[in-house]
Amino acid sequence: MNFLQLAIILKVRRYIILLVAIITLLTAVTVSLLLPKNFLATATVLLNYKGVDPVTGVSMPAQLMPGYMGTQIDIIKSKNVAIDVVKRLKLTDIASIKQDYDKAMKSGNVKSDITDWLADRLSGKLDVSPSRESSVINISYKGVEPTFAATMANAFAESYIAVSLKLKMDPAIKASQYLSEQTKVLRDNLQQAQERLSKYQQEHGLTSILDTYDVESSKLRDLSTQYSLMQSQSIDANSRKNDAAKNMSDSPDVALNPVIQNLRMNLVTAESKLAEMAQRYSKNHPSYIAAEAEAAKLRSQLQTEIDRTVVSLSNSASINSQRLGDVKTQLERQKQKVLELNRSRSELLIMEKEVEIAQNALASVNNRFSQTVLEGQSNQADIAILETASPPASPSNPSLLLIIPFSLIVGTMLGCFFALVAEFLDRRVRSKDDILGLGEIPVYEYSIKAV
């Protein structure tokens, strides 16, 4: 069957198509008029939320949080919101609802309490849809009575705000409890760190570690300088002592001694006088004997003074060596003291740093604790009702504007189907294609020209 044959059949059977379409239209209109009318009321809420972590305090605009709108829709459709609506409107106290619940219980279709049962029924008539590219959500409720539908839509919007506020406050309350415990722990840590620091200062007698360290370091530098100087002096004294011990007469310290120089001059004079006396007198002459005795006395005094000078240099070298040893001992003690002070300084700085870290941690937690306490006590939601639902003037369904064209389309399609069925039950020749298809008889066409 080609398209031309189908068009001819539908044209011939047009009355059947028309009849079926009219019957379908009348049936749909009748059924729609007999069905109970449903009214759709819509309330809109505006979201102005910034996500804030109750512990870290990091905030993020809701538009940047993936799945935020979907999460809010799920919250509105959640059972907690429906239960809050039931409790808010006290629907369980209505006698007709109690009777319906009792009937459902007797039939065995319900196993939950009346609140959960009613919340499930209310959620089934709820429709939530977000506005495109905005922070507005439409909350719609369908009911058989317009005022009841508007009341339920508004109740769901208010319950959604209440539940959202609770969901916002509960984490802040839990976080404040956690931060309160952490504050106590950090306060104890700070107190322990301060006690350790104070005890260490008392045990080591440290008041101002920096000033003490500077004073002791200065002493160490002075002792080092003094030790270097005395070391040079000791080396010089030992060298002079050794030189004087080896060459008493030629030693510079002996030669430059004024007493020895004076004795030597007197000895030269006495020896000259003795030589003169030897030429003039004999050795037994009293004058010669006196000059000789004087020269011997001067030699003895000179030798005694030279020995005294050598002994003085030796004593000076010994004294310098002893003083050098004493200064060296003091220097070593001072070095140990500075090293000990440096170690104490390092430990003290570590303890002071621990105290500082504990103070900063406690201050940070105290600030966050104060913020979470305020958030936990805040009753201001970030969601506001943009438009409240009002009782609709006309039912949302059944809608004759939609039913009539839809029933005409369906009726026309059914009419075409019945027309084809009728044609197949009573097949007739409608065109030359039918004749060709039945007996494969050639058909000749003649055209009559007007004379």
Side-chain angles (χ1 to χ4, degrees):
M1 180 181 298
N2 54 31
F3 180 76
L4 179 60
Q5 291 175 309
L6 180 61
I8 294 173
I9 293 172
L10 294 178
K11 180 178 179 181
V12 173
R13 304 288 183 174
R14 60 183 178 277
Y15 296 106
I16 296 177
I17 297 173
L18 182 59
L19 179 61
V20 173
I22 293 174
I23 293 174
T24 303
L25 175 61
L26 294 176
T27 302
V29 172
T30 303
V31 171
S32 63
L33 293 176
L34 294 176
L35 289 175
K37 295 180 174 60
N38 290 321
F39 295 87
L40 185 66
T42 302
T44 58
V45 293
L46 175 63
L47 308 180
N48 187 22
Y49 177 76
K50 290 184 178 180
V52 178
D53 185 86
V55 176
T56 62
V58 179
S59 61
M60 180 182 294
Q63 291 78 3
L64 300 180
M65 299 175 64
Y68 174 74
M69 294 298 290
T71 302
Q72 301 307 307
I73 293 174
D74 291 338
I75 293 175
I76 299 173
K77 292 181 177 180
S78 65
K79 196 170 186 177
N80 287 336
V81 175
I83 291 175
D84 188 78
V85 171
V86 173
K87 294 179 180 180
R88 184 184 297 272
L89 299 180
K90 299 180 180 180
L91 298 178
T92 55
D93 297 336
I94 300 176
S96 59
I97 294 178
K98 289 183 178 180
Q99 292 176 0
D100 294 339
Y101 176 72
D102 293 336
K103 290 179 182 180
M105 287 290 291
K106 291 178 181 180
S107 63
N109 296 328
V110 179
K111 296 182 180 180
S112 58
D113 59 4
I114 186 172
T115 302
D116 293 341
W117 171 77
L118 189 55
D120 292 335
R121 293 189 61 183
L122 295 179
S123 298
K125 298 180 181 180
L126 181 68
D127 181 55
V128 183
S129 60
S131 297
R132 181 176 298 178
E133 297 181 358
S134 70
S135 299
V136 176
I137 296 179
N138 300 316
I139 303 176
S140 303
Y141 188 85
K142 186 182 294 185
V144 295
E145 202 274 325
T147 303
F148 179 76
T151 302
M152 294 305 299
N154 293 327
F156 267 98
E158 294 174 358
S159 296
Y160 163 58
I161 295 175
V163 171
S164 297
L165 183 61
K166 185 176 183 299
L167 293 175
K168 173 187 175 183
M169 292 174 60
D170 287 348
I173 293 174
K174 293 180 180 179
S176 63
Q177 295 175 353
Y178 168 76
L179 292 175
S180 176
E181 297 174 357
Q182 292 299 312
T183 300
K184 296 179 181 178
V185 174
L186 293 175
R187 188 180 293 112
D188 294 338
N189 293 340
L190 176 59
Q191 185 176 0
Q192 294 175 2
Q194 290 175 340
E195 289 177 354
R196 288 195 299 269
L197 177 61
S198 177
K199 183 179 179 180
Y200 188 83
Q201 288 177 332
Q202 292 176 0
E203 290 178 351
H204 293 78
L206 300 175
T207 54
S208 178
I209 186 68
L210 294 178
D211 294 340
T212 305
Y213 182 78
D214 292 339
V215 171
E216 298 299 332
S217 298
S218 178
K219 290 181 178 179
L220 179 62
R221 288 193 297 270
D222 293 341
L223 285 173
S224 298
T225 303
Q226 185 178 357
Y227 178 76
S228 298
L229 179 62
M230 293 188 66
Q231 194 174 25
S232 299
Q233 293 177 352
S234 177
I235 294 172
D236 181 67
N238 287 326
S239 177
R240 290 166 63 187
K241 180 193 75 170
N242 295 330
D243 184 62
K246 292 179 180 179
N247 303 307
M248 291 184 180
S249 299
D250 297 333
S251 174
D253 293 292
V254 175
L256 296 177
N257 192 324
V259 176
I260 294 175
Q261 288 180 352
N262 188 28
L263 288 173
R264 283 183 173 177
M265 290 176 63
N266 292 333
L267 180 61
V268 170
T269 303
E271 288 179 348
S272 297
K273 184 178 178 180
L274 181 62
E276 183 182 353
M277 289 293 180
Q279 293 177 359
R280 293 175 61 187
Y281 302 106
S282 64
K283 295 182 178 180
N284 295 322
H285 192 275
S287 298
Y288 181 82
I289 294 173
E292 186 179 14
E294 184 179 0
K297 181 181 179 182
L298 288 174
R299 288 191 191 95
S300 176
Q301 290 179 350
L302 177 61
Q303 187 63 38
T304 302
E305 192 63 31
I306 291 173
D307 293 338
R308 185 183 295 115
T309 301
V310 173
V311 171
S312 176
L313 290 174
S314 178
N315 292 335
S316 177
S318 299
I319 292 172
N320 286 333
S321 298
Q322 184 178 359
R323 290 179 61 189
L324 180 64
D326 294 338
V327 173
K328 184 178 181 181
T329 302
Q330 294 180 6
L331 180 62
E332 293 297 330
R333 291 177 181 176
Q334 188 65 24
K335 284 182 179 179
Q336 294 298 325
K337 189 174 183 179
V338 171
L339 291 175
E340 182 67 21
L341 189 62
N342 194 17
R343 185 181 63 82
S344 301
R345 177 188 179 187
S346 299
E347 294 182 359
L348 188 65
L349 291 176
I350 292 174
M351 292 182 180
E352 290 177 348
K353 191 64 176 180
E354 290 177 353
V355 172
E356 182 181 358
I357 292 174
Q359 288 175 343
N360 294 335
L362 181 60
S364 177
V365 172
N366 279 332
N367 293 334
R368 190 64 199 131
F369 174 70
S370 301
Q371 184 178 356
T372 52
V373 169
L374 293 176
E375 292 176 358
Q377 296 175 351
S378 175
N379 57 358
Q380 301 296 325
D382 297 315
I383 306 169
I385 297 178
L386 184 61
E387 292 181 2
T388 57
S390 58
S394 58
S396 60
N397 67 315
S399 176
L400 294 178
L401 295 178
L402 296 177
I403 291 175
I404 290 175
F406 182 73
S407 60
L408 286 176
I409 294 173
V410 174
T412 302
M413 294 174 64
L414 289 175
C416 294
F417 174 74
F418 285 116
L420 292 175
V421 171
E423 181 65 24
F424 285 127
L425 293 178
D426 185 13
R427 192 74 173 92
R428 297 183 182 182
V429 176
R430 304 292 185 184
S431 64
K432 64 179 181 179
D433 294 330
D434 295 332
I435 298 175
L436 293 174
L438 290 175
E440 299 181 356
I441 302 173
V443 178
Y444 298 96
E445 295 183 0
Y446 298 95
S447 59
I448 303 173
K449 295 182 181 180
V451 178

